Amino acid sequence: EAQVTQNPRYLITVTGKKLTVTCSQNMNHEYMSWYRQDPGLGLRQIYYSMNVEVTDKGDVPEGYKVSRKEKRNFPLILESPSPNQTSLYFCASRGFGTGGSYEQYFGPGTRLTVT
Amino acid sequence: GQSLEQPSEVTAVEGAIVQINCTYQTSGFYGLSWYQQHDGGAPTFLSYNALDGLEETGRFSSFLSRSDSYGYLLLQELQMKDSASYFCAVRVNTGFQKLVFGTGTRLLVSP
């Protein structure tokens, strides 16, 4: 089954404690992206990656890091989480040459609470 | 910069037709997408318009007017399961093509 998986699905942590949210896709997609979703603000892009070892900032990258060492994986790293990073996070992927639909496939989401 | 506007909430009854509008101001516009998100779920792709006109997929249709920077999602024969949030998203080229999402429209379908 074609899918994007994220772990953990729920996480409660404390300020300053480093954490990593994993994302993996099994569709051999080149493009992967992280979004955060907050009430009234829609989905905002944090980082994206066009392929292995190619990453760039999205619209709200402050406080986050990413890496793309393998095509299937795109972890999101919070080196020193703060309460304003409490949010719902989605990983997404897309293959190039998808017939023009530009469809992105989203993971199930990770609800993060930083106290 | 990019900005999109869509209503925050729309209500309708089962069997009715509802239209969710989206206006945008962007540079490097390539196309307009729509995504559906149920409470607690992930966004799922509904449609994409790159050219002016109407695209129909079952009960859902999507329209784009590039000259008016405007599009809409039309849902026909509404069902309770259509209660969800609907996001428009513009595909733009700012050095690399990406999606910029609107803030979403919550659709409430009542019996």
Side-chain angles (χ1 to χ4, degrees):
Chain A
E1 179 191 355
Q3 59 181 350
V4 180
T5 57
Q6 295 178 226
N7 282 292
R9 295 289 312 280
Y10 302 90
L11 179 60
I12 300 174
T13 189
V14 297
T15 299
K17 184 175 182 181
K18 180 179 179 179
L19 66 92
T20 299
V21 184
T22 64
C23 172
S24 184
Q25 49 92 6
N26 63 1
M27 295 168 279
N28 201 36
H29 285 167
E30 291 83 5
Y31 177 85
M32 297 185 74
S33 181
W34 276 102
Y35 296 87
R36 62 177 289 174
Q37 185 174 31
D38 303 288
L41 296 179
L43 289 147
R44 295 180 293 167
Q45 190 180 53
I46 302 170
Y47 269 93
Y48 65 90
S49 169
M50 292 171 60
N51 216 321
V52 175
E53 302 291 3
V54 182
T55 64
D56 206 349
K57 298 176 181 178
D59 298 314
V60 288
E62 294 77 21
Y64 305 95
K65 285 176 57 177
V66 293
S67 69
R68 187 91 181 272
K69 292 182 168 49
E70 302 167 287
K71 195 173 185 179
R72 64 183 292 125
N73 297 323
F74 190 44
L76 179 69
I77 302 156
L78 286 73
E79 294 270 3
S80 183
S82 63
N84 64 11
Q85 292 178 297
T86 293
S87 187
L88 178 59
Y89 292 86
F90 288 102
C91 181
S93 72
R94 180 180 75 86
F96 296 150
T98 54
S101 73
Y102 208 74
E103 176 178 358
Q104 288 201 40
Y105 295 81
F106 284 82
T110 295
R111 186 166 292 282
L112 172 65
T113 302
V114 183
T115 62
Chain B
Q2 331 286 346
S3 70
L4 296 92
E5 282 193 25
Q6 50 182 133
S8 58
E9 187 172 292
V10 173
T11 58
V13 297
E14 262 188 311
I17 299 172
V18 73
Q19 179 174 311
I20 300 174
N21 298 320
C22 175
T23 58
Y24 57 87
Q25 289 185 327
T26 70
S27 55
F29 177 85
Y30 270 71
L32 183 69
S33 296
W34 289 92
Y35 284 77
Q36 179 191 60
Q37 184 181 29
H38 286 99
D39 284 348
T44 56
F45 174 82
L46 290 177
S47 68
Y48 175 72
N49 294 67
L51 303 176
D52 286 358
L54 191 68
E55 297 275 348
E56 299 182 61
T57 308
R59 294 187 296 113
F60 293 3
S61 303
S62 57
F63 172 84
L64 174 66
S65 169
R66 296 172 69 108
S67 59
D68 295 322
S69 298
Y70 163 75
Y72 65 73
L73 180 69
L74 190 73
L75 297 85
Q76 303 182 71
E77 302 173 18
L78 280 174
Q79 302 175 10
M80 296 292 290
K81 67 178 182 180
D82 297 329
S83 292
S85 292
Y86 293 85
F87 294 88
C88 60
V90 291
R91 176 185 174 188
V92 298
N93 190 342
T94 56
F96 175 71
Q97 292 185 27
K98 68 173 189 177
L99 282 180
V100 178
F101 285 82
T103 54
T105 298
R106 188 169 181 84
L107 171 63
L108 301 172
V109 181
S110 57

